[in-house]
Amino acid sequence: MNSMINYYNLLVGKFKKIERISTENETHDKRVILKRIFPIILAYGIGLKKIKNGKKAFKLYGKLRDIQVQIIILKSKDNIQEFPDYFSFLKESELKLREDTTKFCKKHKVRFPKIAGSDEIDTVKIHRKIKKSQDKLTEIVQARLAGNGEVMHKIRLIFKNFRYWMETLALIEFVDGTLLEKIKNYQDRLGEIQDYEVLIEGINKFYENADDKEKSKVIRFETHQKQLIDNFKKEIPTVISVCSQTISKENNSGISLDASD
């Protein structure tokens, strides 16, 4: 059980080091750290409210991260000249949110509860959370709902929940590290689909009252996102299989985790 406490303390320590930094990487890392800490806290029967300002910080980091990801995509695809007004809007929004984040961190520091070695882990809850996420994922797939960005976002949230609970379990039980790495890869691909969903929604909202020529520019992103969705849909049976294998009692190769994504 000390392995989970040690990992928890490692996460908390890393968070404190980057808490006041709001660049793209640190914003992402802080959200990942919190997502990994949440199930550990719950596994010990500690309410998330015990993480002072945790949920508020996570929400604020999420807003900033959405803006930063859109900026990254526009830069990487060399599309700044196609959306100069929207890009300027994003840069202004990022500056404002970074200022808000800095003020928040100075005034409302995130504080984490201490976990004692005598505290007990609810392993039944961990397995129940994992099984629940898998059942939800299977239900969506069997209903053949995975066809657009909105539904893929739901799948991504369930999949992310599944992964972080599996990582929590891996701290106290043997989990196949190779399968868990595959799950991370699937989550990354779902994350890319969601990144384009955020960008498409942002552009459409910004140019809501523009002419059709301006609106048509977003088609290239919609086409790319559709291709990402179609590629992922083809692998969904494999994804479900990997999830099932990961939670199998027969897995007996352990993994080690660090505080990075």
Side-chain angles (χ1 to χ4, degrees), residues 1 4 18 31 56 77 101 142 149 178 223 234 241:
M1 302 307 177
M4 187 175 291
I18 62 175
R31 297 189 79 240
K56 291 180 180 178
K77 298 299 181 181
T101 301
Q142 290 179 341
T178 302
T223 301
K234 294 175 183 177
S241 176

Side-chain angles (χ1 to χ4, degrees), residues 213-252:
K213 181 180 179 181
E214 202 69 46
K215 292 179 182 179
S216 66
K217 293 179 181 179
V218 78
I219 292 177
R220 72 187 68 179
F221 297 125
E222 292 174 337
T223 301
H224 182 68
Q225 186 202 40
K226 184 179 183 303
Q227 185 62 56
L228 292 173
I229 292 174
D230 289 344
N231 290 341
F232 191 87
K233 284 173 63 179
K234 294 175 183 177
E235 294 188 54
I236 282 180
T238 304
V239 173
I240 298 297
S241 176
V242 168
C243 290
S244 298
Q245 292 176 58
T246 308
I247 66 175
S248 172
K249 291 291 186 180
E250 297 178 358
N251 288 331
N252 57 9

Side-chain angles (χ1 to χ4, degrees), residues 4-5 8-9 40-41 44 46 113-119:
M4 187 175 291
I5 295 177
Y8 171 75
N9 291 333
I40 293 176
I41 289 292
Y44 275 100
I46 303 173
K114 290 185 177 181
I115 302 177
S118 58
D119 293 338

Side-chain angles (χ1 to χ4, degrees), residues 5-18:
I5 295 177
N6 290 338
Y7 184 58
Y8 171 75
N9 291 333
L10 176 68
L11 291 171
V12 170
K14 183 173 182 180
F15 184 92
K16 289 180 178 179
K17 287 182 180 180
I18 62 175

Side-chain angles (χ1 to χ4, degrees), residues 159-212:
F159 207 78
K160 183 187 292 187
N161 197 49
F162 177 85
R163 175 196 169 188
Y164 289 129
W165 275 107
M166 281 302 310
E167 286 190 351
T168 302
L169 179 65
L171 295 166
I172 56 175
E173 294 184 12
F174 287 114
V175 175
D176 190 321
T178 302
L179 293 175
L180 199 55
E181 186 61 32
K182 288 182 180 180
I183 289 174
K184 178 187 178 301
N185 178 263
Y186 291 138
Q187 183 188 326
D188 289 343
R189 290 171 60 186
L190 287 166
E192 185 179 6
I193 292 171
Q194 175 59 17
D195 290 343
Y196 276 91
E197 183 73 10
V198 171
L199 178 62
I200 291 167
E201 288 183 359
I203 292 175
N204 283 334
K205 184 176 181 180
F206 185 82
Y207 293 106
E208 186 175 7
N209 297 319
D211 55 34
D212 291 338

